[in-house]
Amino acid sequence: MLTYTFKIKTSSKLIQKIENHLNITRLVYNLSKDVREYAYSKGVKLSKFDLIKQLPELKSEFKWISDVHSQTLQGVIERLEKGYDKFFSDLKKNTKTSKPKWAKKKNWKSVEFKSSAVKSKETYFEISKIGKIKYFKSREIQGNIKLARIIKESDGYYIQIVTDHIKPKSDKQTFVGIDMGIKYFTVTSDGEFIDNPKHLFKYLDQLRIENRKLSRMKKGGSNFRKQVQILQKLYLKISRTRKDFLHKSSYLLSKKYGTIIREDLNILKMVQSKSNLSKHILDCSWGLFFEMLEYKTNVHRINPAYTSQTCSSCGHVDSQNRRTQSHFECVRCGHTENADLQASKNILELGHQLMEANVDH
């Protein structure tokens, strides 16, 4: 699956239609949540199919709900269902979780359209119940459209097109182990150190200033809304800068190596731990980086246990081998090396062992 993002060429009429879609889908989401929770309190469990069956009755009562394509409304209920499925799944795993929240206007920023509601033309998309959507075409779309998504950002409206096109993965017979970190974003077993740009931390002073300005303004006033938009644009800039870095880093690695071996990290658990590194880990966005690697090249995961305490020279495992964050010195053979580079070499070796074991079976 490949996703394309284009900025929409808006008009006042088109914005009105998009906003109408956002408001109606948000209403349907909240109504579905309300009905489901009320039924559950009475001992009745409603599935997404039960809720979808109630849509015609809702449309007959509120005619304007028909302004949105029926499959889009069904997709909203499916979205709610996924939220509850994840909630109950996390409960079984004893993972910290919360029920799907009410959809607030300030957070409800997207609406989805299934392939049957979308037609692609040379210079625009034709979307059922909305009409023509002209956009800034930056590249050609490959594959068949599976889904379209309109997203509202602080700097305008965007359309995402998801297609069934799958890029072939690399067939190079080159292998590398990577160790993720904070000082260095990642270190490869070939000795390449990729610095951590610390995107959020570069803008912390500016964020403090803008937040301080906001705190001094009357909530709900015109100046307050303008300042909120300034902050939203700043956060959007940080997010885009981070994604750009992740795309470029994953692309360079995928072009150089046919197979990348990484640790199977429990990022959620690492973030939830009472550690001063939580904000740094979130800023690195390792999870998104791993997703990008998955569709760009071949990736193998290994158990992260003891990779930072094992000597790649003699194989001795000891917590005293790594006394500092950056320095590794084996207490048995005296081998010294950068700790992250040392870990990446162990990751590569474990990856080779895992692949050999799979071949034998």
Side-chain angles (χ1 to χ4, degrees):
M1 303 277 269
L2 202 59
T3 302
Y4 300 85
T5 303
F6 305 103
K7 189 165 187 179
I8 295 172
K9 295 179 180 179
T10 55
S11 64
S12 57
K13 188 177 180 181
L14 179 58
I15 289 173
Q16 188 178 359
K17 286 183 178 180
I18 293 172
E19 289 293 336
N20 190 44
H21 270 65
L22 288 170
N23 290 332
I24 291 173
T25 51
R26 183 170 61 89
L27 172 70
V28 170
Y29 181 93
N30 285 334
L31 282 174
S32 301
K33 176 176 162 60
D34 189 39
V35 169
R36 178 176 173 138
E37 293 199 349
Y38 178 78
Y40 191 79
S41 68
K42 299 297 181 182
V44 179
K45 186 179 178 182
L46 295 179
S47 69
K48 64 179 180 182
F49 303 107
D50 297 321
L51 292 169
I52 287 171
K53 285 176 184 177
Q54 296 183 35
L55 282 175
E57 185 181 341
L58 187 65
K59 286 181 184 179
S60 64
E61 188 173 351
F62 303 101
K63 301 292 184 184
W64 40 268
I65 288 179
S66 297
D67 290 346
V68 176
H69 195 277
S70 58
Q71 287 191 339
T72 298
L73 296 175
Q74 292 171 20
V76 170
I77 295 173
E78 288 167 2
R79 182 172 171 179
L80 177 67
E81 180 86 355
K82 286 177 184 176
Y84 276 105
D85 286 346
K86 185 181 182 303
F87 168 65
F88 289 118
S89 175
D90 288 343
L91 281 180
K92 288 178 181 177
K93 297 174 186 175
N94 291 321
T95 304
K96 187 178 178 181
T97 187
S98 61
K99 285 195 298 183
K101 296 178 181 178
W102 297 102
K104 294 183 179 179
K105 187 173 183 178
K106 65 177 182 179
N107 298 327
W108 192 261
K109 299 289 186 181
S110 66
V111 56
E112 291 184 352
F113 304 88
K114 295 184 180 179
S115 57
S116 60
V118 185
K119 291 180 181 177
S120 179
K121 304 295 182 180
E122 185 61 32
T123 57
Y124 64 91
F125 293 108
E126 184 80 35
I127 296 185
S128 180
K129 304 287 186 176
I130 287 186
K132 287 183 182 180
I133 292 185
K134 294 182 180 180
Y135 62 100
F136 294 93
K137 193 172 184 178
S138 54
R139 53 180 174 158
E140 293 295 331
I141 295 173
Q142 293 179 285
N144 300 310
I145 296 175
K146 304 298 289 182
L147 182 78
R149 186 183 295 115
I150 293 178
I151 301 172
K152 181 182 180 181
E153 295 283 14
S154 57
D155 65 341
Y157 297 84
Y158 292 80
I159 185 164
Q160 281 188 346
I161 302 295
V162 181
T163 72
D164 59 3
H165 180 72
I166 300 174
K167 284 187 175 180
K169 293 187 178 182
S170 174
D171 56 357
K172 291 181 180 178
Q173 297 302 307
T174 47
F175 300 82
V176 72
I178 60 171
D179 180 62
M180 309 306 295
I182 302 299
K183 182 179 179 181
Y184 296 104
F185 176 74
T186 189
V187 177
T188 73
S189 53
D190 284 345
E192 183 180 359
F193 291 75
I194 299 176
D195 287 322
N196 179 9
K198 297 183 179 179
H199 305 283
L200 176 65
F201 294 87
K202 285 181 180 178
Y203 290 93
L204 276 181
D205 288 340
Q206 193 175 347
L207 284 167
R208 287 193 193 101
I209 292 168
E210 299 302 340
N211 272 303
R212 196 179 300 127
K213 287 180 183 177
L214 184 67
S215 67
R216 292 169 180 167
M217 293 176 181
K218 184 180 178 181
K219 192 171 183 180
S222 59
N223 288 334
F224 181 89
R225 289 194 293 271
K226 288 177 185 176
Q227 187 61 26
V228 166
Q229 196 168 33
I230 289 171
L231 270 167
Q232 287 175 340
K233 286 182 178 179
L234 185 54
Y235 277 113
L236 185 61
K237 181 180 179 180
I238 296 168
S239 174
R240 286 176 176 167
T241 305
R242 183 186 293 117
K243 281 184 181 177
D244 181 65
F245 166 77
L246 296 175
H247 270 299
K248 286 176 179 175
S249 299
S250 57
Y251 173 78
L252 290 173
L253 286 173
S254 67
K255 284 295 176 185
K256 201 171 181 180
Y257 303 103
T259 300
I260 294 174
I261 300 156
R262 70 168 181 88
E263 293 175 307
D264 191 10
L265 300 172
N266 188 337
I267 299 171
L268 182 62
K269 190 174 181 180
M270 293 169 74
V271 169
Q272 289 177 347
S273 65
K274 294 178 180 179
S275 167
N276 295 328
L277 299 177
S278 296
K279 189 181 285 188
H280 289 272
I281 294 169
L282 286 170
D283 188 37
C284 285
S285 289
W286 292 341
L288 182 56
F289 178 68
F290 293 153
E291 283 180 23
M292 291 177 179
L293 283 177
E294 290 281 352
Y295 69 77
K296 291 177 183 178
T297 189
N298 302 295
V299 178
H300 288 274
R301 308 177 191 183
I302 58 99
N303 190 330
Y306 308 111
T307 55
S308 62
Q309 298 176 12
T310 304
C311 177
S312 62
S313 180
C314 69
H316 180 63
V317 183
D318 196 314
S319 61
Q320 295 301 307
N321 284 347
R322 187 173 183 173
R323 296 186 181 182
T324 67
Q325 188 65 31
S326 60
H327 184 67
F328 182 95
E329 183 174 356
C330 181
V331 295
R332 176 188 284 179
C333 70
H335 171 70
T336 62
E337 199 165 29
N338 175 276
D340 295 327
L341 176 57
Q342 166 74 24
S344 66
K345 289 180 178 179
N346 288 329
I347 291 167
L348 176 63
E349 178 58 30
L350 287 170
H352 280 308
Q353 292 175 15
L354 182 65
M355 284 185 281
E356 288 172 5
N358 288 336
V359 169
D360 291 340
H361 284 88

